Amino acid sequence: GPLKPEITITYIAVSAIFFNSGLSLKTEELTSALMHVKLHLFVQIFTLVFFPTAIWVFLQLLSITPINEWLLKGLQTVGCMPPPVSSAVILTKAVGGNEAAAIFNSAFGSFLGIVITPLLLLLFLGSSSSVPFTSIFSQLFMTVVVPLIIGQIVRRYIKDWLERKKPPFGAISSCVLLMIIYTTFCDTFANPNIDLDKFSLIIIVFIIFSIQMSFMFLTFLFSTRNNSTFTPADTVAIVFCSTHKSLTLGIPMLKIVFAGYEYLSLISVPLLIYHPAQILLGSLLVPTIKSWMVSRQK
C-alpha cells in the first residue's frame, strides 16, 4: 500500500524508536544497567525458557477442546518470541522504572531471539525451512544497535538543550508503535485465505489476557520476594520485559520460518492479539504500578 510498511516500518519506525531511546537516556544509566546481571538473567530465562515451556504444557490441556488447532499453534509461537524492542521500554519509562535495564533487555533479548526463537519454533512446532540468521542479525544491528548509539552520540552534543526543553519522547515512541501495530493488522487481515470461527477467536483473546495477567503477577511476586535484591524500579522493568513479546521481530520471523505455509495467517493471529493486549493492559496498570513504586521507594 501507499504507506510502504516494508520500508517505513521495518527500517524507519523501529530505528526511530531506538534513536529516540538513545537520545532520551542518560549514558551513565545505560552503562550501570549492563552490570545488573541478575536482572538480565531473570528476564531472559523467564522469557525464552519458562514462558514457552509453560505455554506448551498449557496447550496439552487445550488440545482436547474444539478451539482451532492453528490458533493454538499460534499461541505456542507467542511463547517462543523474544522481548519486544519498544513497548516494554515505553511502559517502563511511563511508570518511572529502570528504563536503562528495560532497553538493555529488549536489545539483548532481541539478539538472543534471532538464534533462540527459530530453534524454539522448530522444537515446539517443527518447520523444515532454513532460517537466514545473517540477514536477520544484520537487520537488527542496523535498526536497534546503530540508532541507539547514534542517539547517545547526538545526546552528548545537545544535552543542555534536551534538559531545558524536555521533548515528549514517550509520546513520539507511542505514535510510532501505533503505526507498527496498524500496518501489521492491515497486512494480516488483507489475506483472503484467513478463516476464523468466532468461538475460537473469543476464547483465544480471553486466554491471552489471562496468560498476561498471570505472568505479570508471577514475575511481580518473584521480584518482590524478601530475599530478592531488586529495587522497585527493577521490578517494573522485570514485569514488563519478562511478559511482553515482540511483534516487530515476531511477524517477520514467522514469515521466514513458515514461508509458504498455508496456515501462516492463522498462526500469526495470537501474536497480533497479544501485542496490542500487552500495551492496553500495561497502559491500564501504569497508574497502579506507579503508585506502588512511589510508596515502596518512600
Side-chain angles (χ1 to χ4, degrees), residues 168-247:
F169 292 116
I172 295 165
S173 294
S174 299
C175 290
V176 175
L177 198 58
L178 193 64
M179 191 179 164
I180 292 171
I181 294 167
Y182 169 72
T183 52
T184 312
F185 261 90
C186 291
D187 193 29
T188 299
F189 293 105
N191 188 334
N193 302 324
I194 200 158
D195 178 30
L196 277 173
D197 62 287
K198 288 193 179 100
F199 167 77
S200 293
L201 191 60
I202 291 164
I203 295 293
I204 288 291
V205 170
F206 175 74
I207 289 169
I208 283 169
F209 272 99
S210 304
I211 287 170
Q212 282 193 34
M213 287 298 288
S214 307
F215 282 2
M216 284 177 95
F217 185 63
L218 196 63
T219 50
F220 180 79
L221 282 182
F222 265 98
S223 58
T224 53
R225 294 191 327 271
N226 290 332
N227 59 345
S228 87
T229 53
F230 299 125
T231 64
D234 292 340
T235 297
V236 174
I238 286 169
V239 167
F240 288 129
C241 290
S242 303
T243 57
H244 280 206
K245 292 292 184 178
S246 177
L247 181 73

Side-chain angles (χ1 to χ4, degrees), residues 278-295:
Q278 73 193 9
I279 294 167
L280 179 67
L281 204 57
S283 304
L284 290 172
L285 289 170
V286 161
T288 312
I289 297 174
K290 199 169 190 171
S291 60
W292 168 83
M293 193 183 83
V294 170
S295 64

Side-chain angles (χ1 to χ4, degrees), residues 12 47 97-98 182 245 276:
I12 299 168
T47 311
N98 191 340
Y182 169 72
K245 292 292 184 178

Side-chain angles (χ1 to χ4, degrees), residues 235-288:
T235 297
V236 174
I238 286 169
V239 167
F240 288 129
C241 290
S242 303
T243 57
H244 280 206
K245 292 292 184 178
S246 177
L247 181 73
T248 42
L249 270 177
I251 294 295
M253 215 169 265
L254 285 180
K255 284 178 179 172
I256 292 164
V257 178
F258 297 105
Y261 213 64
E262 63 174 311
Y263 295 106
L264 176 61
S265 290
L266 284 174
I267 289 174
S268 306
V269 166
L271 185 58
L272 281 170
I273 297 168
Y274 194 96
H275 194 267
Q278 73 193 9
I279 294 167
L280 179 67
L281 204 57
S283 304
L284 290 172
L285 289 170
V286 161
T288 312

Side-chain angles (χ1 to χ4, degrees), residues 14-292:
V14 177
S15 300
I17 283 175
F18 275 90
F19 175 74
N20 198 16
S21 292
L23 205 57
S24 64
L25 194 74
K26 295 185 174 92
T27 311
E28 55 274 17
E29 285 180 7
L30 200 57
T31 47
S32 69
L34 296 175
M35 302 298 109
H36 217 328
V37 179
K38 190 181 172 185
L39 188 150
H40 309 323
L41 276 175
F42 182 95
V43 171
Q44 301 307 330
I45 290 170
F46 190 95
T47 311
L48 295 168
V49 180
F50 176 80
F51 204 126
T53 310
I55 295 286
W56 182 81
V57 172
F58 183 49
L59 290 183
Q60 302 312 303
L61 302 171
L62 288 178
S63 61
I64 55 171
T65 64
I67 301 170
N68 186 306
E69 67 164 314
W70 298 106
L71 287 179
L72 292 180
K73 286 183 190 292
L75 266 182
Q76 184 64 67
T77 66
V78 170
C80 299
M81 289 301 150
V85 289
S86 45
S87 62
V89 176
I90 292 165
L91 288 166
T92 303
K93 185 174 185 163
V95 174
N98 191 340
E99 190 199 348
I103 283 188
F104 178 82
N105 276 289
S106 294
F108 183 56
S110 299
F111 278 105
L112 281 179
I114 298 168
V115 179
I116 295 174
T117 296
L119 293 176
L120 288 173
L121 290 170
L122 298 176
L123 176 69
F124 289 111
L125 296 165
S127 171
S128 57
S129 69
S130 57
V131 181
F133 291 117
T134 318
S135 62
I136 307 177
F137 193 83
S138 57
Q139 187 185 321
L140 260 180
F141 185 78
M142 293 309 294
T143 56
V144 175
V145 178
V146 172
L148 191 67
I149 293 169
I150 293 170
Q152 284 283 286
I153 292 166
V154 172
R155 182 185 166 80
R156 293 185 69 175
Y157 293 101
I158 58 167
K159 192 175 178 181
D160 296 334
W161 181 82
L162 290 172
E163 299 287 331
R164 210 167 50 250
K165 295 285 182 183
K166 293 191 170 29
F169 292 116
I172 295 165
S173 294
S174 299
C175 290
V176 175
L177 198 58
L178 193 64
M179 191 179 164
I180 292 171
I181 294 167
Y182 169 72
T183 52
T184 312
F185 261 90
C186 291
D187 193 29
T188 299
F189 293 105
N191 188 334
N193 302 324
I194 200 158
D195 178 30
L196 277 173
D197 62 287
K198 288 193 179 100
F199 167 77
S200 293
L201 191 60
I202 291 164
I203 295 293
I204 288 291
V205 170
F206 175 74
I207 289 169
I208 283 169
F209 272 99
S210 304
I211 287 170
Q212 282 193 34
M213 287 298 288
S214 307
F215 282 2
M216 284 177 95
F217 185 63
L218 196 63
T219 50
F220 180 79
L221 282 182
F222 265 98
S223 58
T224 53
R225 294 191 327 271
N226 290 332
N227 59 345
S228 87
T229 53
F230 299 125
T231 64
D234 292 340
T235 297
V236 174
I238 286 169
V239 167
F240 288 129
C241 290
S242 303
T243 57
H244 280 206
K245 292 292 184 178
S246 177
L247 181 73
T248 42
L249 270 177
I251 294 295
M253 215 169 265
L254 285 180
K255 284 178 179 172
I256 292 164
V257 178
F258 297 105
Y261 213 64
E262 63 174 311
Y263 295 106
L264 176 61
S265 290
L266 284 174
I267 289 174
S268 306
V269 166
L271 185 58
L272 281 170
I273 297 168
Y274 194 96
H275 194 267
Q278 73 193 9
I279 294 167
L280 179 67
L281 204 57
S283 304
L284 290 172
L285 289 170
V286 161
T288 312
I289 297 174
K290 199 169 190 171
S291 60
W292 168 83

